Structure formats: structure tokens, C-alpha cells
Amino acid sequence: MGLVHTPRVIYTVAKGLLTSHGKPSHDKAKSIVGVGENIHSYVARAGFFDVDYLGHMNNAAYLSHAELARWELTAQNGMLGLMLPKGINFLVASTSVRFRREVRPLFRKFQIDSSLVAMDHRHVWMVHNFRYPIPGRNRVRAQVIVQGVVTQWNKKGVLDPREFFRDTCGFDSDLVESLNYPGVGNEAVSKMLDGFVSLDQSLRTVAAEDDKTHEGL
């Protein structure tokens, strides 16, 4: 997988850097690409490693391209350059995908609209909407929601994302507060997160019960 994935990441980061906005200034920190209502758009084509024998993009490819969209997003808005020197990383903790329409055939161009929509003391949530970049045919084809954590190589546990975005990335305090969960301003997003968090907690409970049956093994 690394033989394919790593070159794609390098290429995607390079694309993001070519259109980089640099380190957010005090003024820019109130509106940052890929954060809140300022949507980031990643454009790609369904390639040989994405399309399966049915002639459409395989379900696993959606998560791969969602990750590539996050790489491009952080490179473009300047966050990646702030994170890497400090050994800070985003790690995916949970994800959910809803497939609505196919992306097909081979070499079909598609777009992913991405945004960091919420955060609390432990997690960040990002939403990716897949669509065709064609007027009149740009309805959502797939939706991905990702729950992640922020880590640093020389510290145990996870960082508080609110402090990270405000202190390390220079986000405006009002912007951070507007994304604080619960209490996100967008009602539809808030309901979506409530459902996702409930599902995540249910999965945790099921896993914990399963662990009890395997104690000592």
C-alpha cells in the first residue's frame, strides 16, 4: 500500500503548498481554508487504484481520497508547516461513510469539499462531501465524517484541539468558540455530530463487552 499511497501523499502535499496561503496572519485567522464555513475543495480523478471490477470507485478509495484531501487542506492553509516541526499529528479515531451515488467510470473527475466543523477538549470532527465539479450534476455523491485527535510525539495522551488551533495555529478565539462542541452554531451539523457521537459510544460499549469474553487470552 505504501508504494502507492506515499507518492500520492507527496504529490498532494506539493499541490497544497503551491497554492499555500502560508501561516495564518492575525486577520486571516478569522477565516481559514478548510475550517468552518470556509470550504476546501480537492479535485482528483478515479484512477486505476480506485476503480474496481464493477467500473465504479471502490468503497475503500473514498477513505483514501478523504485522507489526501486533508493533506492538501493542511498544506494549503499553512497548518502542516506549523505542525511538522513540533511533531504534531492528526490521528483518525473513528469514521463513518454514507454512499449516495456512484463515482464512475475510470478517470472520472470528482471533487471533495472538506471542512473542520467542530471540536471539543479531545476530538476534532471533519466532514468530506464527494461530488462532481459539474454545474447541475454536483449533488453530494458520498459523505465522510472523521473524528480525530491531535497528538505530539514527546507528550503522552492527546492535546486539547482548542488550545492547539488557538495557540499553535493562531486561530481567532471567536472562530474556535464557534466550533466548540456541543453548541455548534449550524443546527444540521450539530444533529449530525450528536448521532455520530452516539454511534461511536455504542461501538465502544460493544467492544468493551467483547473484551470481557477474551480476558486472559
Side-chain angles (χ1 to χ4, degrees):
M1 179 179 176
L3 293 177
V4 175
H5 186 66
T6 301
R8 288 175 114 179
V9 169
I10 294 172
Y11 171 73
T12 303
V13 168
K15 277 203 309 178
L17 292 175
L18 286 174
T19 55
S20 175
H21 297 177
K23 181 179 177 180
S25 68
H26 180 71
D27 292 334
K28 291 180 182 178
K30 295 181 180 180
S31 179
I32 298 171
V33 174
V35 179
E37 296 181 356
N38 195 339
I39 304 299
H40 171 270
S41 293
Y42 159 96
V43 178
R45 292 184 182 273
F48 288 112
F49 296 105
D50 302 317
V51 175
D52 60 23
Y53 74 99
L54 294 174
H56 63 197
M57 197 156 82
N58 182 267
N59 64 87
Y62 288 80
L63 292 178
S64 294
H65 278 283
E67 180 188 348
L68 293 173
R70 293 193 296 275
W71 278 108
E72 185 177 291
L73 182 159
T74 55
Q76 187 179 94
N77 68 16
M79 287 172 51
L80 188 62
L82 296 172
M83 294 165 58
L84 291 182
K86 298 178 182 293
I88 295 175
N89 300 285
F90 287 130
L91 299 181
V92 173
S94 184
T95 188
S96 178
V97 186
R98 179 174 179 266
F99 301 102
R100 197 167 180 232
R101 291 176 178 81
E102 296 175 305
V103 172
R104 64 180 304 147
L106 183 67
F107 303 133
R108 164 72 73 176
K109 181 184 287 189
F110 64 92
Q111 175 177 310
I112 306 176
D113 292 336
S114 307
S115 179
L116 191 159
V117 297
M119 65 184 81
D120 65 8
H121 69 286
R122 181 177 178 84
H123 296 109
V124 297
W125 290 272
M126 291 196 70
V127 171
H128 304 282
N129 289 320
F130 288 68
R131 63 180 84 243
Y132 291 158
I134 304 172
R137 296 193 63 193
N138 57 351
R139 296 178 65 185
V140 171
R141 308 194 77 82
Q143 298 159 288
V144 178
I145 181 170
V146 174
Q147 176 178 283
V149 294
V150 183
T151 65
Q152 192 167 14
W153 69 271
N154 60 348
K155 293 184 179 180
K156 292 183 178 180
V158 300
L159 306 181
D160 186 326
R162 298 167 300 185
E163 294 179 1
F164 162 71
F165 287 117
R166 185 175 55 246
D167 300 338
T168 301
C169 297
F171 282 24
D172 182 78
S173 294
D174 290 340
L175 176 59
V176 172
E177 184 59 31
S178 71
L179 300 174
N180 194 42
Y181 178 79
V184 178
N186 187 309
E187 184 177 354
V189 170
S190 184
K191 288 182 178 180
M192 176 188 65
L193 291 176
D194 289 343
F196 180 86
V197 170
S198 177
L199 173 62
D200 186 68
Q201 185 56 54
S202 296
L203 290 171
R204 289 170 182 262
T205 301
V206 171
E209 289 298 319
D210 184 76
D211 287 345
K212 294 177 182 178
T213 67
H214 294 83
E215 290 181 355
L217 297 180

